[in-house]
Amino acid sequence: MGAERMWMPSPSVEQFIDAVKQTVIANKRFVPPPGKALYLRSLPMGSGPILGLAPAPEFTFLVFSTPVGNYHEMYLAQTQAKAKGYSDVLFLDCVNGKYVEEVAACNIFVGNVVSTPAIQETILPGITRMSIIDIAHSFGYQVEERLIRVEDLLEGDEVFCTGTAVVVNPVGSVTYQDKRVKNKTGKEALSDKLCETLTGIQTGCIEDKMGWILELAIFCSDSEEVFGSGVVNLGFLSLQ
């Protein structure tokens, strides 16, 4: 969708996966042990010779690895929130100022019925978000993608965030206009079960019934062949 808006062709699924494979193999010495992550970022860009307001005649698509993500747009609000003793900041919609959208660098979910803000232009369609929805469905939970009012957030018994770095992170409390509401956390919380399942699939400890695992063969410097697997559709690829 992003490429189309910029009048850029999107790579095929096969091209994307092949680029991911090549990037991981080229950076195999930086692949961390289970529990850590190597960020992979895709970058399409116009590379043909042109000046002026028109689509480029040629395009380049690449995948690169990086130790961290880029979340500069949320730093100001997050810094202000942390200065007041909070762990993070939650953004509301800019039109009405009453609907929940995102945490600084994460998507957000709220119970009792598992709910998450519906995807709009101002809400990132996170891959971890999508994966958690799929896992919740596999557990038999109903998941609603809808407008979530601040009041819904305060009335929910559980709130948690999802993202590449945090995976699934429970929210201990939410404060709005000086009203603080504590949420359920720990082993009894759904977020703990979802996190355990997702990380189990990522590390190969739980059978992948979703078709997310991609097997790679990596050759070490001593010519010994080592096989690994990774979760391509989670925004990063973590080898075993």
Side-chain angles (χ1 to χ4, degrees), residues 220-239:
C220 300
S221 57
D222 59 359
S223 298
E224 178 185 358
E225 188 173 6
V226 179
F227 289 90
S229 61
V231 185
V232 173
N233 77 325
L234 297 184
F236 63 92
L237 199 149
S238 176
L239 293 186

Side-chain angles (χ1 to χ4, degrees), residues 6 12 34 62 87 103 112 125 147 154 177 184 227 232:
M6 299 297 293
S12 66
L62 58 90
S87 299
V103 184
N112 306 318
L147 290 175
L154 299 177
Q177 295 182 345
K184 179 169 62 177
F227 289 90
V232 173

Side-chain angles (χ1 to χ4, degrees), residues 73-206:
E73 295 179 350
M74 55 75 181
Y75 285 153
L76 177 59
Q78 189 181 60
T79 299
Q80 293 173 340
K82 288 188 174 183
K84 296 180 180 180
Y86 301 107
S87 299
D88 215 325
V89 62
L90 176 64
F91 291 95
L92 304 180
D93 74 289
C94 61
V95 177
N96 301 293
K98 65 178 182 180
Y99 295 111
V100 174
E101 293 209 331
E102 293 181 322
V103 184
C106 311
N107 292 114
I108 190 165
F109 287 76
V110 59
N112 306 318
V113 175
V114 182
S115 304
T116 188
I119 295 300
Q120 304 177 51
E121 291 185 354
T122 55
I123 298 178
L124 179 71
I127 299 300
T128 307
R129 171 189 181 276
M130 180 176 65
S131 302
I132 288 301
I133 290 175
D134 288 345
I135 293 174
H137 281 152
S138 73
F139 289 161
Y141 286 93
Q142 176 185 353
V143 180
E144 296 182 350
E145 298 182 65
R146 60 180 177 85
L147 290 175
I148 297 179
R149 303 172 304 158
V150 176
E151 291 77 12
D152 298 331
L153 186 73
L154 299 177
E155 293 170 1
D157 64 341
E158 183 177 355
V159 178
F160 59 90
C161 304
T162 63
T164 302
V166 301
V167 189
V168 181
N169 194 29
V171 176
S173 67
V174 175
T175 300
Y176 178 68
Q177 295 182 345
D178 297 325
K179 179 181 179 181
R180 184 188 182 196
V181 176
K182 292 185 177 181
N183 304 307
K184 179 169 62 177
T185 59
K187 291 297 182 181
E188 299 301 318
L190 173 61
S191 59
D192 188 79
K193 183 179 180 181
L194 292 170
C195 184
E196 184 177 287
T197 302
L198 180 53
T199 55
I201 293 174
Q202 291 174 350
T203 57
C205 297
I206 294 178

